[in-house]
Amino acid sequence: VTLVESGGTLVQPGGSLKLTCKSSGTILSAYSAATMGWYRQAPGKQRELVATITSTRITNYKDSVKGRFTISRDNAKRAAYLSMDSLQPEDTAVYYCNLDSYGGRQIWGQGTQVTVWGQGTRVTVSS
């Protein structure tokens, strides 16, 4: 079983992105029974839970992303998604997809980089 994430890129604050996680090598019934999750790891920080969705589509979110991020899944496509709105610089991280199988097996993807980068502001120093 492998997971491949995609959709990470550079985005300005306030922007939106949708990450996709595609699973291969798993039968439909096993995928449907698994809990899918998105985690992230910022530089110098530990990996943290962002959102999960169970086989019955019960969702759970990190407090700081509630109301901005939405996790979803399409079992027929063996895919999970993370829609992210109102992105902020603190959302910058490598985002990882996780499959937590019914039997407790954990599968991780390789990650996709999300960078929220401001356009900057001009500073002029004059004497």
Side-chain angles (χ1 to χ4, degrees):
V1 178
T2 59
L3 302 177
V4 178
E5 304 96 334
S6 62
T9 189
L10 181 67
V11 63
Q12 289 191 343
S16 298
L17 280 179
K18 185 174 184 178
L19 306 182
T20 298
C21 171
K22 293 295 296 287
S23 173
S24 61
T26 181
I27 60 176
L28 179 58
S29 59
Y31 183 85
S32 300
T35 291
M36 299 302 300
W38 286 96
Y39 292 71
R40 68 187 182 188
Q41 187 167 16
K45 295 186 177 181
Q46 290 188 333
R47 190 172 298 188
E48 62 181 8
L49 170 69
V50 176
T52 59
I53 183 168
T54 68
S55 59
T56 55
R57 288 178 164 75
I58 295 173
T59 58
N60 179 54
Y61 294 93
K62 176 181 173 63
D63 285 346
S64 64
V65 308
K66 287 180 180 178
R68 299 190 297 123
F69 291 10
T70 302
I71 189 171
S72 59
R73 64 190 297 167
D74 184 335
N75 291 337
K77 295 182 179 179
R78 293 166 181 71
Y81 308 97
L82 185 68
S83 295
M84 306 183 291
D85 296 320
S86 303
L87 283 162
Q88 300 301 318
E90 53 265 33
D91 296 317
T92 295
V94 178
Y95 283 71
Y96 296 90
C97 180
N98 172 266
L99 184 153
D100 185 356
S101 74
Y102 182 75
R105 184 183 178 193
Q106 299 277 342
I107 306 295
W108 292 92
Q110 83 290 349
T112 185
Q113 176 72 48
V114 173
T115 302
V116 186
W117 188 265
Q119 73 274 22
T121 183
R122 180 179 295 278
V123 175
T124 302
V125 179
S126 63
S127 59

